[in-house]
């Protein structure tokens, strides 16, 4: 049985994807980009779950387009994100799922991360990562209920990947350029405040005693402007300007700021203190990966790269080459990311069915992959979810 609390958490996740007009479509075409490592195992698992949806919750006919990208593709063909993949996404697909990428830690001539490129080319300007748990493990060992949404600006910061290597009198030194713009900061801020209000409207549908977040909606602006006064200063001022310039936000949402180091500390000590968190690209990447530890594993945490007209679901985890090909990768993050994709494209009932099936498998505790202390396989978990659908 699902409590009113659980239902409102699911509803809040639905709001993170925004409304769309495509719900009336008779078909839904999803691009599948497994890319590297365990992406080749978890994306087929997500497809299997999508195909298991009953017609009463998924009225559209699903079709899939297999697409290429990744470091391994780059090693064979000299390009990590081929133009034909972008053309197919723009011309043939309503949304997409991306698996994982094995970007090297050292410079490789001609290579650039395909997921970073995809976000830029498709203008997927926000990465939306829900972190929800009824019993998150804090640094003190206490269990806390959390319902946090992390909005990560997705197109700039240090991820513009403009780096230079120089030779100086004392040896080599490297310089990385960081870009923060009013335009990108404003879009991220707008999404954060609008989602805070949307989540609050959904919470109002249940009694206060049954909500995880019981206070007024709140947006936490993350920055380090005490050191990076120009770039983070512009980020902070712009996001605050979004709040100051909108009466609905001022009346309905509380706002606070956190230096990024303090944010990490507080997130592990008192994660229940946060509702919606908005951060520049790199800080958001670090915070959201760290938040996965609160719920047990990166293998559980989904995300959606969201633009105004397209969405790419993407599990938070990496390519995990150490376990690739062993059929032990946790597919739940990818499956939940597929559900987030369905939300964005207007199929909330289908998304809810997937969330419920996944949660029931986790609550039962009998089928768990090694990252959660179990011995089950990727196939075991996927089949268990499908049976509940």
């Amino acid at each position: 049985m699902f409590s009113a609390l659980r239902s409102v958490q699911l509803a809040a996740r639905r709001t993170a994807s925004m409304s769309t007009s495509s719900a009336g479509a008779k078909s839904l075409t999803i691009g599948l980009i497994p890319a590297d490592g365990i992406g080749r195992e978890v994306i087929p698992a997500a497809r299997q779950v999508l195909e298991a949806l009953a017609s009463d919750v998924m009225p559209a006919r699903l079709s899939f387009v297999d697409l290429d990208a990744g470091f391994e593709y780059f090693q064979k063909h000299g390009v990590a994100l081929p133009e034909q993949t972008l053309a197919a996404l723009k011309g043939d697909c309503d949304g997409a799922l991306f698996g994982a990428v094995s970007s090297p830690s050292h410079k490789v001539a001609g290579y650039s991360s395909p997921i970073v490129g995809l976000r830029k080319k498709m203008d997927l300007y926000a990465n939306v990562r829900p972190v929800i748990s009824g019993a998150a493990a804090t640094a003190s060992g206490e269990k806390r209920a959390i319902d946090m949404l992390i909005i990560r600006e997705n197109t700039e910061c240090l991820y513009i990947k403009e780096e230079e290597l120089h030779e100086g009198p004392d040896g080599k030194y490297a310089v990385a350029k960081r870009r923060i713009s009013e335009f990108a900061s404003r879009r991220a801020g707008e999404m954060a405040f609008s989602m805070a209000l949307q989540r609050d409207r959904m919470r109002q549908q249940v009694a206060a005693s049954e909500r995880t977040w019981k206070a007024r909606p709140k947006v936490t602006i993350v920055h380090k402007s005490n050191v990076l006064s120009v770039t983070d200063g512009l980020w902070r001022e712009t996001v605050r300007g979004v709040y100051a310039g909108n009466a609905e936000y001022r009346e309905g949402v509380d706002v606070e700021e956190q230096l990024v180091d303090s944010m990490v500390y507080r997130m592990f000590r008192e994660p229940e203190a946060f509702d919606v968190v908005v951060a520049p690209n790199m800080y958001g990447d670090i915070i959201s990966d760290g938040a996965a530890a609160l719920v047990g594993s990166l293998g559980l945490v989904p995300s959606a790269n969201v633009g105004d007209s397209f969405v790419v679901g993407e599990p938070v985890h990496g390519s995990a080459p150490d376990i690739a090909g062993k059929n032990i990768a946790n597919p739940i993050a990818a499956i939940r990311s597929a559900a987030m994709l369905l939300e964005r494209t207007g199929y909330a009932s289908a998304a809810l069915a997937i969330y419920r099936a996944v949660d029931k498998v986790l609550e039962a505790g009998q089928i768990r992959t090694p990252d959660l202390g179990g011995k089950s396989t990727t196939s075991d978990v996927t089949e268990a979810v499908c049976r509940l659908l």
Side-chain angles (χ1 to χ4, degrees):
M1 293 291 292
F2 276 77
S3 65
L5 168 61
R6 191 61 185 155
S7 296
V8 81
Q9 287 175 329
L10 294 169
R13 282 194 280 201
R14 272 205 301 280
T15 67
S17 303
M18 304 161 57
S19 60
T20 178
S21 60
S22 60
K26 294 181 179 179
S27 65
L28 183 69
T29 301
I30 299 173
L32 300 178
I33 313 173
D36 301 322
I38 62 172
R40 296 201 189 96
E41 298 165 69
V42 298
I43 294 303
R47 174 177 178 166
Q48 185 178 338
V49 169
L50 290 170
E51 291 177 325
L53 286 164
S55 59
D56 60 332
V57 296
M58 187 60 199
R61 179 179 59 83
L62 288 170
S63 60
F64 301 91
V65 180
D66 294 318
L67 300 170
D68 293 314
F71 183 63
E72 292 173 32
Y73 186 86
F74 169 82
Q75 290 177 308
K76 295 177 182 177
H77 303 281
V79 60
L81 181 62
E83 286 299 323
Q84 56 265 37
T85 292
L86 287 170
L89 291 174
K90 293 176 180 178
D92 303 327
C93 299
D94 301 300
L97 292 173
F98 187 96
V101 62
S102 297
S103 291
S105 57
H106 58 281
K107 181 176 176 59
V108 175
Y111 176 78
S112 182
S113 169
I115 186 61
V116 173
L118 186 62
R119 291 165 181 161
K120 293 178 180 178
K121 295 293 180 79
M122 301 297 292
D123 196 26
L124 307 173
Y125 59 84
N127 185 265
V128 179
R129 297 187 177 185
V131 184
I132 299 173
S133 175
T138 66
S140 64
E142 297 179 54
K143 300 292 186 181
R144 309 277 179 86
I146 60 171
D147 181 9
M148 178 167 51
L149 187 70
I150 300 173
I151 308 295
R152 166 189 169 193
E153 197 289 315
N154 223 13
T155 63
E156 50 180 31
C157 191
L158 285 170
Y159 288 56
I160 62 172
K161 291 183 69 67
E162 293 184 13
E163 298 179 285
E164 301 170 349
L165 186 64
H166 300 273
E167 193 75 46
D170 300 316
K172 294 179 181 178
Y173 66 95
V175 176
K177 295 182 181 178
R178 183 176 193 246
R179 179 181 299 142
I180 298 290
S181 69
E182 280 186 320
F183 176 71
S185 302
R186 186 178 300 113
R187 290 201 297 184
E190 286 282 0
M191 183 168 288
F193 289 112
S194 65
M195 286 188 179
L197 287 174
Q198 289 170 0
R199 283 158 60 86
D200 185 60
R201 284 192 288 268
M202 298 306 300
R203 288 169 178 150
Q204 297 305 318
Q205 298 179 25
V206 300
S209 61
E210 296 180 320
R211 303 174 202 159
T212 300
W213 181 265
K214 297 179 174 61
R216 278 165 47 89
K218 181 174 71 174
V219 170
T220 302
I221 306 169
V222 179
H223 60 83
K224 189 68 176 174
S225 60
N226 60 327
V227 175
L228 301 170
S229 57
V230 177
T231 50
D232 272 12
L234 179 60
W235 160 266
R236 173 186 174 275
E237 292 168 7
T238 303
V239 177
R240 274 205 162 273
V242 170
Y243 180 74
N246 187 303
E248 186 180 16
Y249 297 159
R250 295 195 307 273
E251 293 168 6
V253 182
D254 292 335
V255 64
E256 67 173 10
E257 300 178 26
Q258 283 286 301
L259 297 177
V260 63
D261 43 357
S262 175
M263 174 68 205
V264 172
Y265 176 82
R266 287 193 66 200
M267 184 176 72
F268 285 109
R269 297 292 298 184
E270 46 176 339
E272 75 281 5
F274 299 104
D275 181 18
V276 176
V277 176
V278 62
N281 205 339
M282 186 177 71
Y283 302 158
D285 192 5
I286 295 168
I287 291 168
S288 53
D289 278 10
L294 295 168
V295 298
S297 170
L298 279 171
L300 297 176
V301 183
S303 78
N305 298 286
V306 177
D308 291 333
S309 59
F310 204 80
V311 62
V312 175
E314 178 196 2
V316 169
H317 61 68
S319 61
D322 56 322
I323 62 169
K326 297 181 179 180
N327 194 30
I328 58 173
N330 192 336
I332 287 177
I335 293 169
R336 284 174 164 169
S337 296
M340 291 185 74
L341 170 60
L342 293 181
E343 294 177 31
R344 172 65 178 129
T345 49
Y347 298 98
S349 295
L352 185 58
I354 292 175
Y355 287 138
R356 284 176 167 165
V358 167
D359 289 340
K360 286 180 179 179
V361 169
L362 290 174
E363 288 165 6
Q366 297 175 340
I367 302 175
R368 292 177 179 267
T369 43
D371 60 308
L372 297 177
K375 297 182 179 180
S376 303
T377 65
T378 307
S379 301
D380 291 336
V381 175
T382 305
E383 290 163 7
V385 174
C386 288
R387 281 195 297 271
L388 290 171
L389 293 173

